Short mmCIF file of all heavy atoms in Angstrom, two decimals:
data_model
loop_
_atom_site.label_atom_id
_atom_site.label_comp_id
_atom_site.label_asym_id
_atom_site.label_seq_id
_atom_site.Cartn_x
_atom_site.Cartn_y
_atom_site.Cartn_z
N ILE S 397 110.26 76.53 118.77
CA ILE S 397 109.51 75.57 119.54
C ILE S 397 109.89 75.66 121.02
O ILE S 397 109.60 74.74 121.80
CB ILE S 397 109.78 74.11 119.04
CG1 ILE S 397 111.23 73.76 119.07
CG2 ILE S 397 109.19 73.96 117.64
CD1 ILE S 397 111.46 72.29 118.90
N THR S 398 110.52 76.70 121.45
CA THR S 398 110.89 76.78 122.85
C THR S 398 109.70 76.91 123.73
O THR S 398 108.73 77.57 123.39
CB THR S 398 111.84 78.00 123.05
OG1 THR S 398 112.86 77.91 122.08
CG2 THR S 398 112.44 77.99 124.43
N ASN S 399 109.75 76.27 124.86
CA ASN S 399 108.70 76.46 125.89
C ASN S 399 109.39 76.42 127.27
O ASN S 399 110.65 76.31 127.33
CB ASN S 399 107.62 75.40 125.79
CG ASN S 399 108.21 74.02 125.80
OD1 ASN S 399 109.16 73.72 126.54
ND2 ASN S 399 107.58 73.10 125.04
N THR S 400 108.66 76.49 128.33
CA THR S 400 109.30 76.55 129.67
C THR S 400 110.11 75.32 129.96
O THR S 400 111.04 75.39 130.78
CB THR S 400 108.24 76.72 130.75
OG1 THR S 400 107.11 75.88 130.40
CG2 THR S 400 107.80 78.10 130.86
N GLN S 401 109.75 74.22 129.35
CA GLN S 401 110.49 72.97 129.74
C GLN S 401 111.78 72.79 129.01
O GLN S 401 112.69 72.14 129.53
CB GLN S 401 109.55 71.79 129.52
CG GLN S 401 108.35 71.82 130.46
CD GLN S 401 107.33 70.85 130.04
OE1 GLN S 401 107.63 69.66 129.90
NE2 GLN S 401 106.08 71.27 129.85
N ASN S 402 111.87 73.25 127.78
CA ASN S 402 113.13 72.97 127.05
C ASN S 402 113.98 74.25 126.95
O ASN S 402 115.04 74.14 126.26
CB ASN S 402 112.80 72.38 125.66
CG ASN S 402 111.95 73.34 124.82
OD1 ASN S 402 111.85 74.51 125.13
ND2 ASN S 402 111.36 72.82 123.80
N VAL S 403 113.60 75.28 127.56
CA VAL S 403 114.27 76.50 127.35
C VAL S 403 115.79 76.47 127.75
O VAL S 403 116.68 76.94 127.06
CB VAL S 403 113.62 77.71 128.07
CG1 VAL S 403 113.60 77.51 129.56
CG2 VAL S 403 114.27 79.02 127.72
N THR S 404 116.10 75.74 128.86
CA THR S 404 117.45 75.73 129.34
C THR S 404 118.36 75.04 128.28
O THR S 404 119.45 75.56 128.01
CB THR S 404 117.58 74.95 130.64
OG1 THR S 404 116.83 73.78 130.58
CG2 THR S 404 117.09 75.79 131.79
N VAL S 405 117.88 73.94 127.75
CA VAL S 405 118.75 73.22 126.74
C VAL S 405 118.92 74.07 125.52
O VAL S 405 120.01 74.17 124.97
CB VAL S 405 118.10 71.86 126.40
CG1 VAL S 405 119.10 71.04 125.63
CG2 VAL S 405 117.54 71.18 127.56
N ILE S 406 117.85 74.65 125.03
CA ILE S 406 117.92 75.39 123.78
C ILE S 406 118.80 76.62 123.96
O ILE S 406 119.69 76.90 123.09
CB ILE S 406 116.50 75.79 123.31
CG1 ILE S 406 115.79 74.51 122.83
CG2 ILE S 406 116.58 76.77 122.20
CD1 ILE S 406 114.37 74.68 122.37
N VAL S 407 118.63 77.33 125.05
CA VAL S 407 119.50 78.50 125.26
C VAL S 407 120.91 78.10 125.39
O VAL S 407 121.79 78.77 124.87
CB VAL S 407 118.99 79.26 126.53
CG1 VAL S 407 120.03 80.29 126.98
CG2 VAL S 407 117.68 79.97 126.22
N GLU S 408 121.18 76.97 126.01
CA GLU S 408 122.51 76.49 126.15
C GLU S 408 123.16 76.29 124.76
O GLU S 408 124.26 76.63 124.45
CB GLU S 408 122.55 75.20 126.93
CG GLU S 408 123.89 74.76 127.36
CD GLU S 408 123.89 73.37 127.95
OE1 GLU S 408 122.98 73.16 128.80
OE2 GLU S 408 124.67 72.55 127.52
N LYS S 409 122.37 75.66 123.87
CA LYS S 409 122.85 75.45 122.51
C LYS S 409 123.15 76.74 121.78
O LYS S 409 124.09 76.88 121.09
CB LYS S 409 121.80 74.62 121.70
CG LYS S 409 121.64 73.20 122.16
CD LYS S 409 122.76 72.39 121.58
CE LYS S 409 122.79 71.04 122.30
NZ LYS S 409 124.12 70.33 122.07
N MET S 410 122.27 77.68 122.00
CA MET S 410 122.46 78.98 121.32
C MET S 410 123.69 79.68 121.82
O MET S 410 124.46 80.24 121.06
CB MET S 410 121.21 79.88 121.58
CG MET S 410 120.02 79.46 120.78
SD MET S 410 118.65 80.58 121.25
CE MET S 410 117.73 80.45 119.71
N LEU S 411 123.86 79.61 123.16
CA LEU S 411 125.09 80.23 123.72
C LEU S 411 126.33 79.53 123.17
O LEU S 411 127.33 80.19 122.90
CB LEU S 411 125.02 80.23 125.23
CG LEU S 411 123.94 81.15 125.85
CD1 LEU S 411 123.89 80.97 127.33
CD2 LEU S 411 124.19 82.62 125.48
N GLY S 412 126.18 78.20 123.02
CA GLY S 412 127.36 77.49 122.49
C GLY S 412 127.69 77.91 121.11
O GLY S 412 128.88 78.15 120.76
N PHE S 413 126.66 78.19 120.29
CA PHE S 413 126.89 78.64 118.93
C PHE S 413 127.48 80.09 118.97
O PHE S 413 128.37 80.39 118.18
CB PHE S 413 125.56 78.68 118.17
CG PHE S 413 125.68 79.00 116.72
CD1 PHE S 413 125.96 78.02 115.81
CD2 PHE S 413 125.51 80.30 116.28
CE1 PHE S 413 126.12 78.32 114.49
CE2 PHE S 413 125.65 80.60 114.94
CZ PHE S 413 125.92 79.60 114.06
N LEU S 414 127.00 80.87 119.88
CA LEU S 414 127.51 82.26 119.98
C LEU S 414 129.01 82.23 120.18
O LEU S 414 129.75 83.11 119.71
CB LEU S 414 126.84 82.95 121.14
CG LEU S 414 125.58 83.80 120.81
CD1 LEU S 414 124.99 84.31 122.10
CD2 LEU S 414 125.98 84.90 119.86
N LYS S 415 129.44 81.31 121.01
CA LYS S 415 130.88 81.24 121.32
C LYS S 415 131.67 81.02 120.07
O LYS S 415 132.85 81.40 119.96
CB LYS S 415 131.17 80.15 122.33
CG LYS S 415 130.80 80.55 123.75
CD LYS S 415 131.21 79.50 124.77
CE LYS S 415 130.64 79.82 126.10
NZ LYS S 415 129.65 78.87 126.60
N LEU S 416 131.11 80.29 119.12
CA LEU S 416 131.79 79.93 117.84
C LEU S 416 131.76 81.09 116.81
O LEU S 416 132.62 81.10 115.96
CB LEU S 416 131.21 78.66 117.23
CG LEU S 416 131.42 77.39 118.02
CD1 LEU S 416 130.66 76.26 117.31
CD2 LEU S 416 132.88 77.09 118.19
N SER S 417 130.74 81.84 116.86
CA SER S 417 130.57 82.77 115.77
C SER S 417 131.29 84.09 116.00
O SER S 417 131.38 84.56 117.14
CB SER S 417 129.07 83.06 115.44
OG SER S 417 128.46 83.39 116.60
N ASN S 418 131.77 84.67 114.93
CA ASN S 418 132.45 85.94 115.09
C ASN S 418 131.86 87.02 114.22
O ASN S 418 132.38 88.11 114.02
CB ASN S 418 133.94 85.79 114.83
CG ASN S 418 134.17 85.05 113.51
OD1 ASN S 418 133.22 84.78 112.79
ND2 ASN S 418 135.41 84.69 113.23
N ASP S 419 130.72 86.69 113.63
CA ASP S 419 130.12 87.65 112.71
C ASP S 419 129.13 88.46 113.47
O ASP S 419 128.21 87.93 114.13
CB ASP S 419 129.49 86.83 111.55
CG ASP S 419 128.30 87.49 110.93
OD1 ASP S 419 128.39 88.70 110.67
OD2 ASP S 419 127.26 86.81 110.74
N ASP S 420 129.28 89.78 113.39
CA ASP S 420 128.49 90.67 114.22
C ASP S 420 126.99 90.52 113.99
O ASP S 420 126.20 90.52 114.98
CB ASP S 420 128.82 92.13 113.88
CG ASP S 420 130.21 92.49 114.30
OD1 ASP S 420 130.83 91.63 114.96
OD2 ASP S 420 130.69 93.60 113.97
N TYR S 421 126.62 90.29 112.79
CA TYR S 421 125.17 90.24 112.48
C TYR S 421 124.57 89.04 113.22
O TYR S 421 123.50 89.17 113.81
CB TYR S 421 124.99 90.14 110.97
CG TYR S 421 123.63 90.49 110.57
CD1 TYR S 421 123.27 91.80 110.28
CD2 TYR S 421 122.63 89.52 110.47
CE1 TYR S 421 121.98 92.15 109.96
CE2 TYR S 421 121.32 89.85 110.12
CZ TYR S 421 121.03 91.17 109.87
OH TYR S 421 119.76 91.52 109.49
N THR S 422 125.27 87.89 113.11
CA THR S 422 124.76 86.72 113.78
C THR S 422 124.69 86.90 115.28
O THR S 422 123.73 86.51 115.98
CB THR S 422 125.66 85.51 113.49
OG1 THR S 422 126.06 85.55 112.14
CG2 THR S 422 125.04 84.17 113.86
N ILE S 423 125.72 87.54 115.84
CA ILE S 423 125.77 87.70 117.30
C ILE S 423 124.61 88.55 117.77
O ILE S 423 123.89 88.19 118.66
CB ILE S 423 127.08 88.33 117.70
CG1 ILE S 423 128.23 87.34 117.44
CG2 ILE S 423 127.05 88.75 119.13
CD1 ILE S 423 129.64 87.87 117.70
N VAL S 424 124.38 89.71 117.08
CA VAL S 424 123.31 90.54 117.48
C VAL S 424 121.97 89.83 117.41
O VAL S 424 121.13 89.89 118.29
CB VAL S 424 123.29 91.83 116.59
CG1 VAL S 424 122.02 92.64 116.85
CG2 VAL S 424 124.49 92.65 116.88
N ASP S 425 121.82 89.09 116.34
CA ASP S 425 120.54 88.34 116.11
C ASP S 425 120.33 87.30 117.21
O ASP S 425 119.27 87.25 117.85
CB ASP S 425 120.66 87.67 114.73
CG ASP S 425 119.42 86.84 114.40
OD1 ASP S 425 118.33 87.42 114.54
OD2 ASP S 425 119.53 85.68 114.04
N LEU S 426 121.38 86.52 117.48
CA LEU S 426 121.18 85.41 118.44
C LEU S 426 121.07 85.94 119.85
O LEU S 426 120.22 85.45 120.63
CB LEU S 426 122.39 84.48 118.32
CG LEU S 426 122.21 83.27 117.46
CD1 LEU S 426 123.44 82.42 117.52
CD2 LEU S 426 121.03 82.45 117.86
N VAL S 427 121.85 86.94 120.15
CA VAL S 427 121.77 87.52 121.49
C VAL S 427 120.34 88.03 121.79
O VAL S 427 119.78 87.80 122.87
CB VAL S 427 122.81 88.64 121.64
CG1 VAL S 427 122.42 89.61 122.68
CG2 VAL S 427 124.13 88.06 121.92
N GLY S 428 119.75 88.61 120.77
CA GLY S 428 118.36 89.13 120.93
C GLY S 428 117.45 87.95 121.19
O GLY S 428 116.55 88.04 122.04
N LYS S 429 117.63 86.84 120.47
CA LYS S 429 116.73 85.70 120.67
C LYS S 429 116.90 85.09 122.04
O LYS S 429 115.95 84.76 122.70
CB LYS S 429 117.08 84.68 119.58
CG LYS S 429 116.42 85.08 118.29
CD LYS S 429 116.70 84.10 117.18
CE LYS S 429 115.94 84.54 115.97
NZ LYS S 429 116.58 84.16 114.76
N VAL S 430 118.16 84.97 122.51
CA VAL S 430 118.37 84.35 123.81
C VAL S 430 117.73 85.27 124.89
O VAL S 430 117.04 84.77 125.75
CB VAL S 430 119.86 84.24 124.10
CG1 VAL S 430 120.12 83.85 125.53
CG2 VAL S 430 120.50 83.24 123.17
N ALA S 431 117.91 86.56 124.74
CA ALA S 431 117.29 87.47 125.70
C ALA S 431 115.75 87.31 125.71
O ALA S 431 115.13 87.27 126.77
CB ALA S 431 117.69 88.89 125.41
N GLU S 432 115.19 87.20 124.54
CA GLU S 432 113.76 87.03 124.42
C GLU S 432 113.29 85.76 125.14
O GLU S 432 112.34 85.78 125.95
CB GLU S 432 113.33 87.02 122.98
CG GLU S 432 111.85 87.11 122.78
CD GLU S 432 111.45 86.86 121.33
OE1 GLU S 432 112.24 87.26 120.43
OE2 GLU S 432 110.38 86.30 121.11
N LEU S 433 113.98 84.66 124.83
CA LEU S 433 113.62 83.39 125.45
C LEU S 433 113.79 83.43 126.97
O LEU S 433 112.93 82.95 127.70
CB LEU S 433 114.46 82.25 124.84
CG LEU S 433 114.22 81.87 123.39
CD1 LEU S 433 115.08 80.80 122.95
CD2 LEU S 433 112.73 81.54 123.16
N ALA S 434 114.92 84.00 127.37
CA ALA S 434 115.16 84.04 128.83
C ALA S 434 114.10 84.82 129.54
O ALA S 434 113.62 84.35 130.60
CB ALA S 434 116.52 84.69 129.07
#
Side-chain angles (χ1 to χ4, degrees):
Chain S
I397 57 166
T398 311
N399 55 35
T400 38
Q401 294 168 54
N402 58 17
V403 63
T404 44
V405 193
I406 289 177
V407 164
E408 192 188 311
K409 290 281 167 197
M410 286 180 151
L411 291 175
F413 187 85
L414 267 176
K415 281 185 190 117
L416 293 176
S417 51
N418 49 8
D419 151 48
D420 291 355
Y421 199 87
T422 317
I423 292 174
V424 171
D425 179 51
L426 265 182
V427 156
K429 282 179 175 151
V430 171
E432 189 188 328
L433 292 181

